[in-house]
Amino acid sequence: MVVLANPPVVDQIPLLRSPGPADYFSAVPVVDLSSPGAARAIVDACERFGFFKVVNHGVAAGTMDRAESEAVRFFAQAQADKDRAGPGYPPFGYGSKRIGLNGDMGWLEYLLLAVDHASISDGCAVPSSAALRNALNEYIAAVRKVAMRVLEAVAEGLGIAPADALSAMVAEQGSDQVFRVNHYPPCPALQGLGCSATGFGEHTDPQLISVLRSNGTSGLQIALQDGGQWVSVPSDRDAFFVNVGDSLQVLTNGRFRSVKHRVVTNSLKSRVSFIYFAGPPLAQRIAPLPQLLGEGEQSLYKEFTWGEYKKAAYKTRLGDNRLSQFVKAS
């Protein structure tokens, strides 16, 4: 974290060193989802990085562009209008700067939406704009299919049967899916100071996987599994980026590791990102899949349900190691 003698006011949001050209990670694994070798490539990327980029994913450019343009239109509204879209359906709705309930702050505003099957939950009144809601529903339906294909490819690459052993957890009635639209406004007060405001602090995602897309403004950083070095991910508005979540780490008994990531803001450009979180039903048992345990191999984790893990996660700060309390004593 950067400490300045006379820091500009950014609402008590932590400052980070601004990334330079040397920080960009040129070795991001790229998976062609239409390729016969996609399953093996995904497993390799999950084992090495817990993160990869997906191309040839089949989502129409128009679907992505409509969601982005409508989201930009929403965030361009007067603050009073956006505040009216606040969490009337807690914790869902519009929010600004505060992330969660435990003191985390970021230089962003966002929409957090509950997803029922393949669209925004009927019980979630936000967004009220038909154009935005329709655009997001079209996008959610498309990106959910990408998530399903990725989870099926993971099962294939790991030799798990049936083929939908993982994707069925998301397809089931009552699956706990969440969709987030983040807007990171520029922070010109920090221009030229060599530091940037934290947009979204370091964390791992608790679900199975999360699927992210952003506009052309970079800002996403991941921590490499080997050594924890923070590297910047080059932006690609035509691709999706997939994060391994804590639940998939447990299901693979640590063979995959959930990736720690964060967002650093830009002093001059806005960043808009869309994240689909693929979670199972609350009652879903989360434990290593028996097919992935070798002879005599024991689970590294205590057994729990997704609902129990989610409840525990909500009590923690972003950067906390949520899984630590579920690791078996050695």
Side-chain angles (χ1 to χ4, degrees):
M1 185 182 297
V2 175
V3 178
L4 301 179
N6 296 293
V9 177
V10 285
D11 296 332
Q12 300 179 335
I13 292 168
L15 303 182
L16 299 166
R17 181 179 62 84
S18 296
D23 296 307
Y24 280 87
F25 187 48
S26 60
V28 173
V30 180
V31 175
D32 180 345
L33 204 53
S34 67
S35 166
R40 182 61 254 170
I42 287 174
V43 168
D44 181 65
C46 290
E47 290 178 336
R48 294 173 60 207
F49 301 105
F51 175 85
F52 56 94
K53 181 165 91 171
V54 173
V55 298
N56 289 330
H57 43 67
V59 179
T63 296
M64 298 188 288
D65 291 343
R66 276 188 291 277
E68 184 178 320
S69 63
E70 289 299 332
V72 168
R73 192 190 313 275
F74 172 84
F75 290 119
Q77 293 181 103
Q79 189 62 49
D81 293 330
K82 290 184 286 189
D83 287 339
R84 281 195 285 273
Y89 183 57
F92 301 103
Y94 172 80
S96 176
K97 295 189 173 66
R98 296 187 182 280
I99 303 170
L101 305 173
N102 302 306
D104 291 295
M105 303 283 285
W107 190 260
L108 85 163
E109 56 182 344
Y110 59 86
L111 283 171
L112 184 62
L113 307 170
V115 173
D116 184 8
H117 187 59
S119 62
I120 299 168
S121 171
D122 290 340
C124 193
V126 176
S128 58
S129 160
L132 176 56
R133 197 176 186 97
N134 290 339
L136 293 184
N137 278 338
E138 179 184 348
Y139 179 92
I140 289 167
V143 77
R144 181 175 181 269
K145 291 179 181 177
V146 172
M148 297 289 199
R149 291 172 65 190
V150 166
L151 289 171
E152 287 166 4
V154 168
E156 178 186 343
L158 291 174
I160 300 169
D164 66 349
L166 297 172
S167 63
M169 295 183 189
V170 182
E172 283 182 37
Q173 187 71 25
S175 60
D176 190 27
Q177 305 165 82
V178 177
F179 187 69
R180 189 177 190 105
V181 186
N182 289 335
H183 172 227
Y184 303 93
C187 192
L190 297 177
Q191 186 180 4
L193 297 179
C195 62
S196 301
T198 298
F200 211 109
E202 62 180 76
H203 65 287
T204 60
D205 295 333
Q207 292 86 355
L208 296 170
I209 59 172
S210 53
V211 184
L212 176 146
R213 176 196 175 265
S214 69
N215 64 355
T217 303
S218 60
L220 176 66
Q221 295 187 322
I222 64 169
L224 298 181
Q225 305 280 16
D226 183 14
Q229 176 190 356
W230 285 101
V231 293
S232 295
V233 177
S235 61
D236 186 344
R237 66 187 308 272
D238 297 319
F240 291 109
F241 294 90
V242 177
N243 298 321
V244 169
D246 297 340
S247 294
L248 189 55
Q249 175 173 326
V250 173
L251 289 166
T252 60
N253 205 33
R255 181 170 171 178
F256 295 175
R257 298 291 301 275
S258 54
V259 61
K260 187 175 288 187
H261 53 288
R262 66 187 184 190
V263 174
V264 179
T265 59
N266 190 293
S267 61
L268 297 176
K269 298 178 182 178
S270 291
R271 174 180 167 88
V272 178
S273 62
F274 303 83
I275 312 98
Y276 167 79
F277 299 93
L282 295 177
Q284 174 67 49
R285 170 180 172 268
I286 305 295
L289 297 170
Q291 296 172 69
L292 297 181
L293 293 176
E295 185 176 353
E297 182 180 358
Q298 299 296 313
S299 170
L300 300 176
Y301 306 95
K302 304 170 187 175
E303 185 176 320
F304 54 87
T305 65
W306 165 243
E308 290 168 341
Y309 189 62
K310 181 179 178 180
K311 183 177 180 181
Y314 276 2
K315 296 178 180 178
T316 63
R317 299 289 299 269
L318 272 179
D320 291 344
N321 182 352
R322 303 184 185 101
L323 270 179
S324 61
Q325 61 185 296
F326 295 95
V327 174
K328 287 184 177 179
S330 56

